[in-house]
Amino acid sequence: MKVIIRNNSHEGSLWTAHYIADRINEKAARTSDPFVLGLCTGSTPIETYAELIRMVGAGEVSFRNVISFNMDEYVGLPVEHPESYHSFMHRYLFDHIDEPAENIHILDGNAPDLAAECEAYEKAIVKAGGFDLFLGGIGEDGHIAFNEPFSSLESRTRVVTLTQDTREVNARFFDGDPSKVPAQALSVGVATVLSAREVVILAFGSKKARALASAIEGPMSHYCTVSALQGHPFGTIVCDEDAIGEVKVNSYRYFKAVEAAENA
């Protein structure tokens, strides 16, 4: 596991956007195959998306040959609802870049057969060639996507029930009322994320510190599902100084030293 530590979320977001753009450009230089990208929602990736939008506008990267799959979507929330993940992604990314509409994939939380929707999503990922890179975030309890504590580390895209803690955290998007947050969602599984050739996880702010320490230094466990990144050959966590605050001093020094050596 590699850990990139920046002073604040702004610096971490910029690093991540440029890293993703570099990966897209590198693949475009050697093959005509599309770049398959996993994407997340929430407040954490907004600055990364803003920088990618700027880079597309400046001609520094193109999404014309990118196929994207989003992590999750609420069950039963209308697509046009401002807090649906369809709305989020178009508001903060898709409406401002050159990715073809047919290349955008987001789970349908209103599908008549939710299990069939999840199965088709997994098949579409495989048909696209599998993820080149999956961008994710980390929940305050260490969950990735909507893989709440005790989700199987072998899980695939499925219907999940959200914990009360998650609904309370997300209530800020629903007038502060947890009861307005849908009780279920469709989510890629832990194994779906880890099937990517590369995984980049964002963690910003002191509220993520305990979960991040567990993910880095704790055991690989279904209690902290993002800890499964420990077993990935190309897993990277991008965090700020507040989020890294709970790890051991020697761990912090190690990650700083590794990055310094690689950039020497």
Side-chain angles (χ1 to χ4, degrees), residues 119-232:
E119 183 178 356
Y121 207 67
E122 287 282 342
K123 290 179 178 178
I125 293 167
V126 172
K127 184 178 180 181
F131 291 112
D132 290 291
L133 187 151
F134 210 124
L135 175 69
I138 178 173
E140 292 180 20
D141 59 5
H143 71 252
I144 183 173
F146 274 134
N147 294 289
E148 305 279 32
F150 306 113
S151 295
S152 169
L153 301 186
E154 297 299 319
S155 58
R156 292 283 179 173
T157 305
R158 67 207 188 284
V159 182
V160 296
T161 298
L162 305 185
T163 65
Q164 184 61 25
D165 284 347
T166 294
R167 296 179 76 189
E168 288 177 0
V169 168
N170 288 356
R172 68 188 187 277
F173 303 116
F174 292 85
D175 302 321
D177 185 354
S179 68
K180 293 183 179 180
V181 181
Q184 290 187 312
L186 303 184
S187 175
V188 297
V190 178
T192 311
V193 175
L194 296 184
S195 70
R197 287 176 276 280
E198 191 168 5
V199 180
V200 177
I201 299 296
L202 306 179
F204 302 136
S206 59
K207 290 183 178 180
K208 306 297 178 70
R210 187 169 299 178
L212 186 57
S214 295
I216 295 172
E217 297 176 331
M220 190 185 302
S221 167
H222 63 180
Y223 185 72
C224 175
T225 54
V226 75
S227 67
L229 192 66
Q230 295 175 14
H232 196 282

